[in-house]
Amino acid sequence: MKIKKDIYNNKSSFLILLMLLAVAAFGLLSPYNYNILPANIIFEATLLLSAVVSIKPPRKKTTVFLAISFTYVALCYLIMETSRPAHILDFVQAYKSFIYIIPLCFFIGREKFNESQIRATLLLLLLLFATKYGYSRALKLDLLLGSRPGIYTENNFELILLLIIYYLAAPSLGKLRAGYFFLLALIVAMSGSRSAVLGLVIVYIFTFFQKLDFKFIISTLALIIITALAFYIFSQRNSGSIEDIDRYRFLMIFLEETKEWDLINILLGSRPLTPFSSYSCSALGFYKSLFSFSGDGTCYSVILHSYLLRVIFDHGILGFYFVLYFVWYGLSIAQYSTRQKLCIISVLLASGLSVSSLNSIYVAIALAISFSYPQKRAIKIHS
């Protein structure tokens, strides 16, 4: 069977999109699990392999990002090993956003993805997500999936990928844009994910709010409905459970751990892979699964969940700025408008309030697609 050229396009893009759909198909057939496949590991390997299969020397400025990231990660690892050795997987978790920059550099300025691929992938993913989320909610075959469905992994992570793919596809959807968004909103509503709801509102505003006319009025009414949906999801999960108070507790732990910081710490963060105090680890003992891989009861910044807190603790204000500037640069090279760049970064920051955002492979995949999906034929909606 011959695959249409505009769908295949090149090895790198075809590999990423094929794996997204194939792993989602296995997730659809996993009624008692997120996915019977190790989705995260598969996507980690996919990102690396897709960067390698069509590797070309990056631009000069891109090389600077690559060199700084590689040097920073290597230097911090050496400091950790010589001063306070820890499990390598704990280190990787803390430095993932900088590690991802290395393969992502090879997507910047490339034309790996096209409109046909993005549209087709979005439609198939929406159908797969809606089906899995729908039957998980309706049948409640599994206690966890019955309340928080997922097709790859926990939906806080995977829905950010879906939101960004929708936003990338929106200019080429024409009259179908609203219909696709309705299906996306339905998926987010079934997810119970508060970070995804915030991302959904952001995508809606940047996609549909253009100027004051009849469409603007309709868009405003739709935003009111979406906001009501957001309040409903927040209220449904405001049941006094530990999760509902832990976002505040995470912040309090962060403030406790950084109360003696000086200006250098604020700018550069803590010493590479600094463990939290025994008091903080004990206070967050409910999240034992996020303790150190060494099994010795140590815990690190990953236990704070929020990427914004984690990146400041581990890498400081300058490290956070470097990662955001890298994203802005990659989108700029692909000729995204300021409006588009602000939307994508806003979605990432909304995710970072609650979960790992730029430390997630799903965000890395979304950025790989964004960086190599040039906006030369951008439709007027984003001009």
Side-chain angles (χ1 to χ4, degrees):
M1 178 179 176
K2 189 174 181 179
I3 301 174
K4 288 178 65 177
K5 188 176 185 299
D6 60 345
I7 295 295
Y8 175 77
N9 202 38
N10 61 70
K11 294 176 183 178
S12 184
S13 64
F14 190 68
L15 175 62
I16 288 178
L17 300 182
L18 177 64
M19 295 311 297
L20 284 176
L21 295 172
V23 177
F26 276 95
L28 180 65
L29 301 174
S30 307
Y32 301 101
N33 304 281
Y34 290 131
N35 203 300
I36 58 175
L37 298 178
N40 293 1
I41 296 175
I42 289 173
F43 291 139
E44 301 272 5
T46 298
L47 178 67
L48 180 60
L49 184 58
S50 60
V52 170
V53 294
S54 58
I55 195 166
K56 294 179 182 178
R59 295 164 175 257
K60 286 185 178 180
K61 189 171 181 179
T62 306
T63 304
V64 173
F65 282 103
L66 192 156
I68 291 175
S69 298
F70 181 83
T71 303
Y72 176 65
V73 173
L75 183 61
C76 288
Y77 181 77
L78 288 176
I79 293 174
M80 179 205 74
E81 279 292 303
T82 54
S83 62
R84 190 180 306 193
H87 199 290
I88 189 171
L89 292 181
D90 291 322
F91 178 84
V92 169
Q93 276 195 328
Y95 286 79
K96 267 191 174 182
S97 56
F98 291 88
I99 295 172
Y100 286 144
I101 287 176
I102 297 170
L104 285 175
C105 283
F106 296 98
F107 288 87
I108 294 177
R110 310 303 183 199
E111 295 189 19
K112 297 180 183 293
F113 297 87
N114 59 48
E115 289 180 359
S116 297
Q117 289 178 314
I118 301 299
R119 283 198 307 268
T121 301
L122 174 65
L123 176 59
L124 293 172
L125 285 179
L126 286 174
L127 293 175
L128 289 165
F129 271 69
T131 304
K132 175 67 183 290
Y133 282 37
Y135 82 67
S136 294
R137 277 286 196 176
L139 302 179
K140 298 188 182 299
L141 300 174
D142 177 82
L143 183 60
L144 174 60
L145 293 179
S147 59
R148 296 296 303 276
I151 198 167
Y152 296 132
T153 186
E154 183 182 338
N155 57 43
N156 281 329
F157 304 101
E158 62 188 20
L159 286 177
I160 302 304
L161 169 65
L162 193 61
L163 287 168
I164 291 177
I165 291 178
Y166 169 81
Y167 186 67
L168 297 180
S172 65
L173 294 177
K175 295 180 179 179
L176 297 175
R177 189 166 61 245
Y180 276 66
F181 184 85
F182 175 80
L183 184 54
L184 176 64
L186 180 62
I187 292 168
V188 171
M190 290 189 290
S191 75
S193 169
R194 292 176 288 197
S195 59
V197 169
L198 292 177
L200 182 73
V201 172
I202 291 168
V203 167
Y204 180 82
I205 291 172
F206 279 92
T207 301
F208 293 97
F209 276 43
Q210 302 300 318
K211 54 185 178 180
L212 185 59
D213 54 12
F214 179 73
K215 288 185 178 179
F216 176 83
I217 295 173
I218 296 299
S219 298
T220 302
L221 290 174
L223 179 60
I224 293 172
I225 295 172
I226 293 172
T227 304
L229 172 66
F231 277 112
Y232 172 75
I233 291 176
F234 276 66
S235 64
Q236 284 293 297
R237 293 182 58 198
N238 187 23
S239 57
S241 67
I242 190 168
E243 183 173 355
D244 295 313
I245 61 174
D246 268 1
R247 295 306 181 256
Y248 173 77
R249 293 176 64 187
F250 295 152
L251 177 60
M252 293 300 101
I253 293 295
F254 172 81
L255 294 176
E256 175 66 23
E257 293 291 328
T258 59
K259 65 182 180 182
E260 296 182 0
W261 274 19
D262 55 21
L263 180 60
I264 298 298
N265 288 127
I266 293 171
L267 292 176
L268 302 178
S270 60
R271 194 178 186 85
L273 209 62
T274 297
F276 280 5
S277 66
S278 57
Y279 165 79
S280 295
C281 293
S282 176
L284 298 178
F286 179 80
Y287 291 100
K288 276 286 186 181
S289 62
L290 294 177
F291 277 35
S292 171
F293 286 94
S294 64
D296 60 1
T298 303
C299 70
Y300 299 98
S301 67
V302 66
I303 204 165
L304 297 177
H305 289 65
S306 166
Y307 176 75
L308 301 185
L309 298 181
R310 292 170 59 185
V311 71
I312 298 301
F313 184 84
D314 289 326
H315 313 291
I317 297 292
L318 292 181
F320 185 35
Y321 173 79
F322 177 81
V323 175
L324 288 183
Y325 182 60
F326 170 75
V327 175
W328 186 273
Y329 166 77
L331 296 174
S332 297
I333 296 299
Q335 300 178 13
Y336 286 79
S337 67
T338 299
R339 181 187 182 89
Q340 289 174 296
K341 289 183 283 190
L342 287 175
C343 178
I344 292 173
I345 288 179
S346 296
V347 170
L348 299 182
L349 292 178
S351 169
L353 290 171
S354 180
V355 291
S356 59
S357 186
L358 289 150
N359 259 31
S360 164
I361 183 57
Y362 299 93
V363 167
I365 292 288
L367 291 178
I369 296 172
S370 302
F371 289 168
S372 48
Y373 179 47
Q375 300 297 293
K376 293 177 181 178
R377 297 189 299 273
I379 292 178
K380 188 178 180 180
I381 183 174
H382 287 308
S383 61

